[in-house]
Amino acid sequence: MRLIEHFIDGASAGGGQRKSDVFNPNTGEVQAQLILGTQSELDRAVAAAEAAQPAWAAANPQRRARVLMRFRELVESNMEELAALLASEHGKVIADAKGDFQRGLDVIEFSCGIPHAQKGEFTQGAGPGIDVYSMRQPIGIGAGITPFNFPAMIPMWMCGPAIATGNAFILKPSERDPSVPIRLAELFREAGLPDGVFQVVQGDKEMVDAILDHPGIGAVSFVGSSDIAHYVYERGVRAGKRMQAMGGAKNHGIVMPDADMEQVVNDLCGAAYGSAGERCMALPVVVPVGRKTADELRVRLIEAIKSLRVGVSTDPDAHFGPVVTAVHKARIESWIQKGADEGAELVVDGRGLTLQGHENGFFVGPTLFDHVTPAMESYREEIFGPVLQMVRAESFEEAISLPSQHQYGNGVAIFTRNGHAAREFAQRVNVGMVGINVPIPVPVAYHSFGGWKRSAFGDTNQHGMEGVRFWTKVKTVTQRWPDGGASGDSAFVIPTMG
Ligand code: NAD
């Protein structure tokens, strides 16, 4: 059985007695064993990072950027192999797996512009003979703790700006698809990144807690489910670290009566069912405004769902593949049951789907509920599967209040031809990322990604200039170069520049 290890100080490394199974969701088989690390592997990684980071930070920013450029080229040129590896552990279809890398590479490209992004500020003559300048210095050693659903993109959201700004970075990936991060570490090495600057430690809660408590680590970025995000955020802050922790989501798509219905149905199918709904920017809730809109949408959705193909991740015609584990499949199916028990109308039931030749794969078919209400637990909580819930609204006001009052506030979309309604919506909705006729409004790499309410803890978003700010601290220098000797007078009041 293949053993997946850590990547410490430029090489594959063992360590840790406990192991966990890594499945192939297409077949249900255990395809590898993952070593679960402990404090002692983390200590080794931190020691290697401490040895490597000062020279990396001292390298000029163009040099750091060039390593990232080479890394980008290497990921591109190994894309087929990488996407196949990712799909075999996650279950998403190959085209979607390539998108996972591509969205990550967008952030690497942004990070290649670090000589510009890390420039400081300068004021000449802030006082008599006094200049003030500020610079952004790296935190030192940063860590990233990532979820299973984007095993390439989310590590790159974090390590791109962290490494570019001169930090050493330690990644703790999800236990469910841990192989891609190891390949990223190998490719960084091939690109010329010094050993110890990007490392991977494998593990579960034990390793997460070790990271949060380690005095050598200055900043931690987390992405995962909300309860764990909240726990990680609080524990890290208590240990004096800079923290950001992105959590779960329940994104709504508002459909106004004037929307282009054909486009809406296409967009909803992709956004609700793509990647088996395992995206924090999926659209698992649709809110048609008015009965006529709802009735038409329902008929069209039922038709569209019939044409969706669920298949193994290597099937080029499949719209989506299996979910990540048998445990997750059971969890999704129990939410479907819960929705039906709560009184929602189960219009299309995706349970019980089996694929010939892949009877043990973790497949769940597209599922549609109508007449879901805000009081239902299956509406309030995240399902994270191919389940679309229709909540009917009578008015625009009711539609805007649903995502605004929901505990999660990651993304939201409105479909309309009315510019005024769209503008009102974008201004007023209590959610962090808004799409206008865009179902999955994931911001481009040079903007930043982050939700509101229980979808994110901490003040700083991922990537863009927010990422540069998160991974650096500002130092401000006030300098005076007098032309003669010291004046000899002591100042006992706060200096003013007037
Ligand atoms: P998860 O919370 O189970 O795991 C995330 C990380 O936390 C993993 O590295 C895991 O090892 C670690 N972890 C798990 N249990 C822990 C515990 N008890 N204590 C400490 N650490 C623990 O999330 P997941 O199932 O891998 O990913 C799906 C979730 O991530 C969904 O809720 C999804 O919405 C969310 N997500 C959010 C965003 C975002 O940007 N807001 C992006 C992607 C995914």
Side-chain angles (χ1 to χ4, degrees), residues 112-442:
C112 290
I114 206 65
H116 174 69
Q118 208 176 346
K119 277 189 314 204
E121 294 174 329
F122 184 84
T123 301
Q124 188 176 12
I130 292 178
D131 304 326
V132 179
Y133 65 93
S134 62
M135 55 185 123
R136 293 203 156 269
Q137 295 192 328
I139 299 281
I141 303 177
I145 301 165
T146 52
F148 82 85
N149 68 324
F150 281 99
M153 176 185 81
I154 293 178
M156 288 195 251
W157 278 1
M158 299 170 179
C159 76
I163 289 176
T165 50
N167 295 281
F169 182 81
I170 299 173
L171 174 66
K172 204 300 289 170
S174 166
E175 308 89 295
R176 289 175 252 178
D177 42 16
S179 291
V180 161
I182 295 291
R183 287 291 293 129
L184 296 181
E186 289 167 353
L187 294 176
F188 265 128
R189 187 157 200 266
E190 207 178 321
L193 191 70
D195 293 347
V197 177
F198 179 93
Q199 303 180 90
V200 182
V201 290
Q202 308 283 10
D204 55 10
K205 178 173 166 50
E206 185 179 342
M207 183 58 89
V208 171
D209 288 349
I211 290 170
L212 295 172
D213 297 343
H214 202 296
I217 295 173
V220 179
S221 178
F222 173 93
V223 177
S225 52
S226 287
D227 287 348
I228 296 173
H230 192 207
Y231 160 78
V232 161
Y233 179 76
E234 286 196 334
R235 188 164 175 152
V237 166
R238 268 203 306 277
K241 297 188 195 323
R242 182 175 292 187
M243 296 295 302
Q244 60 178 188
M246 276 62 195
K250 190 92 180 193
N251 305 326
H252 294 50
I254 313 301
V255 183
M256 296 298 286
D258 65 351
D260 175 342
M261 214 43 110
E262 197 176 328
Q263 187 64 49
V264 168
V265 171
N266 279 339
D267 284 351
L268 277 177
C269 282
Y273 301 125
S275 198
E278 294 170 321
R279 292 180 182 140
C280 70
M281 289 298 271
L283 270 190
V285 178
V286 59
V287 183
V289 177
R291 186 173 173 171
K292 192 166 160 284
T293 316
D295 290 345
E296 184 187 345
L297 186 62
R298 174 186 163 126
V299 171
R300 285 181 180 246
L301 275 172
I302 294 169
E303 253 337 279
I305 287 170
K306 282 186 196 146
S307 66
L308 291 182
R309 181 180 166 102
V310 185
V312 289
S313 47
T314 48
D315 176 352
D317 297 324
H319 292 101
F320 65 92
V323 302
V324 69
T325 56
V327 173
H328 193 49
K329 174 180 161 152
R331 190 173 167 272
I332 294 165
E333 291 186 340
S334 76
W335 274 120
I336 296 173
Q337 187 57 47
K338 173 87 180 168
D341 293 346
E342 287 180 309
E345 184 191 355
L346 182 51
V347 181
V348 181
D349 185 353
R351 289 173 297 179
L353 176 82
T354 49
L355 246 63
Q356 212 181 358
H358 293 88
E359 286 76 7
N360 296 323
F362 311 139
F363 296 95
V364 182
T367 298
L368 177 67
F369 277 105
D370 195 359
H371 300 290
V372 173
T373 68
M376 293 177 183
E377 202 185 335
S378 58
Y379 166 79
R380 293 199 308 265
E381 300 298 331
E382 182 182 41
I383 297 175
F384 220 55
V387 181
L388 178 59
Q389 295 169 296
M390 194 187 292
V391 184
R392 293 168 174 241
E394 305 251 304
S395 64
F396 175 75
E397 288 302 323
E398 191 186 342
I400 199 170
S401 79
L402 285 162
S404 296
Q405 285 175 16
H406 202 281
Q407 62 165 330
Y408 294 116
N410 214 37
V412 70
I414 184 166
F415 301 92
T416 181
R417 289 185 167 100
N418 182 325
H420 177 71
R423 186 171 181 278
E424 265 303 282
F425 184 80
Q427 292 286 325
R428 286 171 48 200
V429 72
N430 186 19
V431 172
M433 292 175 279
V434 181
I436 297 173
N437 298 312
V438 171
I440 305 185
V442 178

Side-chain angles (χ1 to χ4, degrees), residues 77-92:
S77 56
N78 288 278
M79 187 63 92
E80 294 301 327
E81 169 239 320
L82 290 168
L85 180 65
L86 190 155
S88 79
E89 290 183 353
H90 178 287
K92 61 178 78 175

